[in-house]
Amino acid sequence: MKYSIFSMQVVMPLRGADDPTYRELHKLIRTAPERTNYARMHDYYGRICNVLRREANRFELGVWDYWDDPSRAPNDFQDWVDGLEGNEARSQPAQDDGRPRHLVCTLAMLLQNGSTSDQRMSAHCDIAEEHLWSRNTFRHLLKGPALLNYLHVKSDLVYLLPGDDAECALTTEDLSGEDWHYLRPLT
């Protein structure tokens, strides 16, 4: 079978260890439904995307892709899966220097190439080049997963940094390192 991929990663400042957005996303991810129930998966991603859309004005950095190139999609998806290993995550809190800390939320979906869901996502991701890196575009793209029939989603992932310990949120210095070179500033 051939696949397409939709992926997105957003970075926003954390409003302290008790940031309501972080807590809500963390709880949603920790209570993810079983993969075999397509209706629950639709609802699950809808709730995650709603939380993120509500906070889109806070997005500082981000990246997104939609590829309907079957030779590229599986490898790109695997790159996002490899990110789950947490190589970019902090294992210890940074020294408190009064500077902002950040959370990172990542979504990726491997879609059955040519399916109605893939066609919907392709049309949804048809964004003019001058608008690719705006918060409004990310807000728009976060409506995409609601267009999908999860029967057509071969694999999916969502992850959040920091993980269980908000004190391990990323610093600006962390985000300017080589592991995050692909992120774009959002306007």
Side-chain angles (χ1 to χ4, degrees), residues 14 30 33 35 38 47 66 76 84 86 94 97 102-103 106 123 147 152 158 169-170 172 183 185:
L14 191 66
R30 283 286 179 207
R35 178 73 184 94
Y38 303 123
R47 291 185 297 153
Y66 168 80
D76 281 5
L84 286 170
D97 59 5
H102 299 84
L103 70 82
T106 304
L147 302 172
H152 300 140
V158 59
L170 299 173
T172 302
L183 289 170

Side-chain angles (χ1 to χ4, degrees), residues 122-142:
S122 176
H124 191 71
C125 293
D126 187 15
I127 307 293
E129 189 169 342
E130 64 268 18
H131 299 294
L132 292 176
W133 308 112
S134 76
R135 290 176 186 95
N136 284 336
T137 294
F138 278 69
R139 183 180 286 115
H140 166 78
L141 292 170
L142 284 163

Side-chain angles (χ1 to χ4, degrees), residues 77-96:
F77 186 80
Q78 188 59 48
D79 287 345
W80 290 112
V81 170
D82 292 345
L84 286 170
E85 294 176 7
N87 296 336
E88 299 88 8
R90 283 191 148 277
S91 57
Q92 298 292 319
Q95 185 176 13
D96 187 8

Side-chain angles (χ1 to χ4, degrees), residues 9-63:
Q9 188 170 63
V10 295
V11 178
M12 69 180 97
L14 191 66
R15 295 178 176 156
D18 289 327
D19 183 318
T21 302
Y22 164 73
R23 293 288 171 207
E24 189 172 3
L25 288 169
H26 184 266
K27 182 179 177 181
L28 283 168
I29 292 168
R30 283 286 179 207
T31 59
E34 290 185 34
R35 178 73 184 94
T36 57
N37 187 315
Y38 303 123
R40 283 187 182 163
M41 292 306 295
H42 188 272
D43 179 60
Y44 172 69
Y45 277 103
R47 291 185 297 153
I48 288 172
C49 290
N50 284 339
V51 171
L52 291 170
R53 274 197 348 263
R54 185 178 69 223
E55 299 297 329
N57 287 336
R58 290 174 56 194
F59 297 172
E60 292 182 349
L61 301 168
V63 67

